[in-house]
Amino acid sequence: MYIKFFKRFLDAFLSFMGLCVLALPMLLIALIVKIDDPGPAFFKQKRVGIHKTYFSLYKFRSMKVSTPDIPTHLLENPEQYISKVGAFLRKTSLDELPQMWNILKGDMSIIGPRPALWNQDDLIAERDKYGANDVRPGLTGWAQINGRDELEIPVKARLDGEYVERLSFGFDVKCFFGTIFSVLRSDGVVEGGTGEIEKQEKERASV
């Protein structure tokens, strides 16, 4: 009952209320983004949705207009491309707020595996092993509160699979409040992509 109906109802209701309540703050953020680095306030990116369909995910733009059009984890020294306002937005996860529109549309859920980039074939393949591509991706999820950016792909996929197995109202509530604490502590925010912390540790060990 929860998975088939109530979860989607909660997603639509809460995202609609969120958009109404945060409309003015989001407008202010959009203006600040444009002033800080003239250009579009929003960033659109092709992501993988439920059953490996594609959709356009929206964020506040946190990187400079001059940034090469490639995934962040493929950039050399990605910090140099992040705008001043963008650094704050990414640290606080405020850049994710426009995804409430994706949730309202039905592209995403509030809780679920984070949507993979369309070309992240390794992550998509790993998630197939656990059925994690057959649920709506989320604004946040179990993997997000257990490592976020620093997780290696097999570990992230396994946690996404664990979410699918434990999917329930109670587990979604646990992920929701866990996300709040993680955001307040800025846990797992690493510029450079998946597994970055482990890569850095290997580099230090080899010196």
Side-chain angles (χ1 to χ4, degrees):
M1 182 68 174
Y2 173 68
I3 298 174
K4 291 184 177 180
F5 173 73
F6 195 53
K7 181 176 172 68
R8 177 60 195 142
F9 171 79
L10 277 178
D11 286 338
F13 176 75
L14 293 176
S15 60
F16 176 76
M17 294 301 296
L19 286 168
C20 291
V21 172
L22 297 173
L24 287 178
M26 288 174 67
L27 177 60
L28 180 60
I29 292 173
L31 290 172
I32 293 173
V33 169
K34 291 181 72 69
I35 292 171
D36 180 51
D37 185 64
F42 298 96
F43 173 70
K44 183 171 71 172
Q45 194 172 52
K46 185 178 178 181
R47 295 289 184 118
V48 179
I50 187 171
H51 305 313
K52 293 187 282 190
T53 55
Y54 296 129
F55 71 97
S56 294
L57 176 142
Y58 295 94
K59 290 186 176 187
F60 283 118
R61 181 172 58 85
S62 59
M63 306 192 85
K64 299 174 183 176
V65 173
S66 59
T67 305
D69 188 18
I70 60 175
T72 304
H73 66 279
L74 297 179
L75 290 170
E76 186 176 347
N77 187 21
E79 290 87 352
Q80 66 178 311
Y81 298 107
I82 300 173
S83 66
K84 293 177 182 178
V85 171
F88 174 76
L89 294 178
R90 292 164 81 97
K91 185 176 181 180
T92 58
S93 295
L94 290 173
D95 61 320
E96 311 281 0
L97 287 179
Q99 288 163 51
M100 285 190 291
W101 173 244
N102 287 116
I103 296 170
L104 183 61
K105 286 173 58 186
D107 298 326
M108 295 173 58
S109 179
I110 294 174
I111 309 295
R114 281 295 296 166
L117 288 163
W118 65 274
N119 57 356
Q120 283 185 297
D121 297 330
D122 46 359
L123 177 58
I124 297 167
E126 283 292 319
R127 283 177 169 174
D128 267 337
K129 299 177 182 178
Y130 304 101
N133 290 315
D134 296 322
V135 297
R136 280 191 179 88
L139 180 65
T140 185
W142 186 233
Q144 288 295 102
I145 62 175
N146 283 283
R148 198 168 173 175
D149 292 336
E150 73 258 34
L151 293 175
E152 289 290 300
I153 283 173
V155 178
K156 182 179 291 187
R158 179 177 56 78
L159 287 168
D160 290 333
E162 185 177 338
Y163 170 76
V164 174
E165 290 181 0
R166 300 175 65 181
L167 207 167
S168 64
F169 176 71
F171 196 57
D172 275 359
V173 170
K174 180 176 182 177
C175 291
F176 180 83
F177 284 104
T179 297
I180 294 175
F181 294 126
S182 293
V183 169
L184 291 175
R185 296 192 301 263
S186 297
D187 286 349
V189 180
V190 181
E191 300 303 342
T194 301
E196 186 65 16
I197 285 180
E198 184 166 331
K199 292 175 188 175
Q200 293 173 1
E201 289 177 348
K202 288 179 180 177
E203 289 174 359
R204 285 195 294 268
S206 64
V207 173

